[in-house]
């Protein structure tokens, strides 16, 4: 009886693995099929093209024949991008996704210069790395800023251009993060904004299904872009440290504050990769494939660490995150408590 049970179990395991292998082969083949029609008749609007993913995607899309409207926050970045691309198929657009008026003006600009092109895709790439430290150090303004750019900015842009995309039966692609599915400590404003953007895209994907608009989420791991700036992180920590009350400062201590900022930088730089083409290629696939994915996991850390962690039971995930991020220095009040014990 025992041998029969083991044999049956082994057979089902083999069947399961066979199904997984066949499914992945079929999916791989399907994902190689490009969307029909001419790229030269299509336009894309991309936010956050000053640096990083957005800038590289704008270059790639223009090179391959798309009409590109590249949203840039600064005039300097816009001039640099135009000089580097030197392609009449790319137009830069002044854009601050946290401002209603700026997004509205960008939409009018696109409609004016769209010509005979269809707005095939909107790529919500703009974002800020709004990590400051423990929630005790943060204030409502820190959360509002993160939400205004990373979440409400996505909603502003999407709503401003959605009718044009629906008319083209095109694509809406949004970057969230592995922190849009797995919350980590000392990143409250950031994870809240990314969870919000992810939820909005999930809602939109279902609503727009019958309109033949495909909606994709891009979930990068840790990439070394200008957002991952060591000096900027130190400044963010100093900023929130100055705004908290004396009682909270005493609770955590200056020693912990300095250790936290340095440890955070060291950890993120060590875990990051410079291979930003993983994200850019996934963006481009979402725009051009006949069968784009609903979710793209970018980077080996996303695929083998963060996504699997997000699927575990909560207590297990918490235990692993606590041990992965184990700190050598504790807040002053906890250090004092340990000495007494």
């Amino acid at each position: 009886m025992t041998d029969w049970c083991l044999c049956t179990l082994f057979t089902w395991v083999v069947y399961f693995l066979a199904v997984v292998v066949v499914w992945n082969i079929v999916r791989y083949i399907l994902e190689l099929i490009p969307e029909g029609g001419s790229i030269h008749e299509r336009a894309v609007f991309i936010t956050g093209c000053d640096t990083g993913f957005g800038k590289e995607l704008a270059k790639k899309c223009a090179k391959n024949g798309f009409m590109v409207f590249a949203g840039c926050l600064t005039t300097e970045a816009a001039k640099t991008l135009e000089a580097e691309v030197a392609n009449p198929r790319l137009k830069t657009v002044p854009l601050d996704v946290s401002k209603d008026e700026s997004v509205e003006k960008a939409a009018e600009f696109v409609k004016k210069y769209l010509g005979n092109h269809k707005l095939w895709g909107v790529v919500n790439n703009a974002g800020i790395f709004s990590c400051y430290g423990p929630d005790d150090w943060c204030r409502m303004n820190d959360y509002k800023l993160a939400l205004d750019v990373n979440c409400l900015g996505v909603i502003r842009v999407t709503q401003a251009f959605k009718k044009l995309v629906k008319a083209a039966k095109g694509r809406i692609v949004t970057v969230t993060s592995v922190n849009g599915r797995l919350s980590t400590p000392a990143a409250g404003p950031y994870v809240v904004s990314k969870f919000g953007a992810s939820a909005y895209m999930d809602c939109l994907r279902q609503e727009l299904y019958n309109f033949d608009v495909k909606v994709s989420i891009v979930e990068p791991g840790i990439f070394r872009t200008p957002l991952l700036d060591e000096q900027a992180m130190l400044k963010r920590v100093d900023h929130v440290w100055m705004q908290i009350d004396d009682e909270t400062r005493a609770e955590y201590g200056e020693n912990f504050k300095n250790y936290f900022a340095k440890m955070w930088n060291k950890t993120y730089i060590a875990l990051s990769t410079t291979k930003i083409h993983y994200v850019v290629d996934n963006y481009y696939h979402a725009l051009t494939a006949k069968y784009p994915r609903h979710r793209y996991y970018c980077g080996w850390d996303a695929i083998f660490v963060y996504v699997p962690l997000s699927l575990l039971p909560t207590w297990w995930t918490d235990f692993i995150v606590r041990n992965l991020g184990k700190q050598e220095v504790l807040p002053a009040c906890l250090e004092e408590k340990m000495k007494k014990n």
Side-chain angles (χ1 to χ4, degrees), residues 127-134 136-139 141-143 145-146 150 186-190 223 225-244 257-258 260-262 264-266 268-269:
I128 56 172
F129 192 57
S130 47
C131 294
Y132 304 93
D136 284 345
W137 300 359
C138 298
R139 294 294 176 266
N141 283 340
D142 302 317
Y143 280 90
L145 175 61
N150 295 343
Y190 186 71
F223 285 84
T225 68
L227 283 183
L228 202 62
D229 182 276
E230 294 179 71
Q231 289 305 312
M233 180 59 191
L234 294 175
K235 288 179 181 177
R236 283 196 298 271
V237 172
D238 286 338
H239 160 72
V240 293
W241 187 255
M242 293 304 294
Q243 70 183 6
I244 60 178
K257 186 266 286 187
N258 293 332
F260 169 80
K262 291 176 183 176
W264 186 278
N265 272 333
K266 182 180 178 181
Y268 266 69
I269 294 300

Side-chain angles (χ1 to χ4, degrees), residues 53-108:
F53 305 140
K55 183 177 182 179
E56 295 307 313
L57 177 64
K59 290 180 180 179
K60 182 168 184 171
C61 286
K63 180 181 178 182
N64 292 339
F66 276 110
M67 178 73 172
V68 177
F69 294 97
C72 294
L73 181 62
T74 68
T75 305
E76 293 78 11
K79 289 179 179 177
T80 300
L81 179 58
E82 289 173 347
E84 289 180 10
V85 175
N87 186 331
R89 297 191 69 80
L90 181 140
K91 294 183 183 296
T92 57
V93 187
L95 179 67
D96 181 347
V97 299
S98 68
K99 301 288 190 295
D100 292 344
E101 185 181 0
S102 179
V103 173
E104 289 166 6
K105 285 182 178 179
E108 291 303 317

Side-chain angles (χ1 to χ4, degrees), residues 279-305:
V279 178
V280 175
D281 290 347
N282 282 330
Y283 270 149
Y284 193 76
H285 185 270
L287 289 170
T288 59
K290 186 174 181 64
Y291 302 106
R293 295 185 182 186
H294 293 148
R295 276 181 163 78
Y296 291 86
Y297 310 131
C298 311
W300 298 117
D301 57 343
I303 295 169
F304 291 112
V305 179

Side-chain angles (χ1 to χ4, degrees), residues 32 37 53 66 127 163 177 183 199 213 242 295 310-311 316 327:
L32 293 176
F53 305 140
F66 276 110
K163 286 184 179 179
S177 168
S183 188
V213 173
M242 293 304 294
R295 276 181 163 78
S310 72
L311 302 175
W316 199 350
Q327 298 174 340

Side-chain angles (χ1 to χ4, degrees), residues 145-210:
L145 175 61
L147 284 165
D148 229 1
V149 177
N150 295 343
C151 182
L152 297 180
V154 169
I155 298 172
R156 281 189 192 92
V157 171
T158 302
Q159 291 194 340
F161 291 94
K162 196 186 344 175
K163 286 184 179 179
L164 293 173
V165 176
K166 285 168 70 176
K169 296 183 178 180
R171 309 289 165 86
I172 297 173
V173 187
T174 297
V175 67
T176 57
S177 168
V178 289
N179 272 141
R181 62 160 57 237
L182 176 69
S183 188
T184 51
Y190 186 71
V191 297
V192 167
S193 65
K194 290 299 184 180
F195 266 85
S198 183
Y200 175 64
M201 284 296 108
D202 283 339
C203 173
L204 213 59
R205 184 184 64 252
Q206 296 174 64
E207 289 182 1
L208 297 181
Y209 176 82
N210 289 324

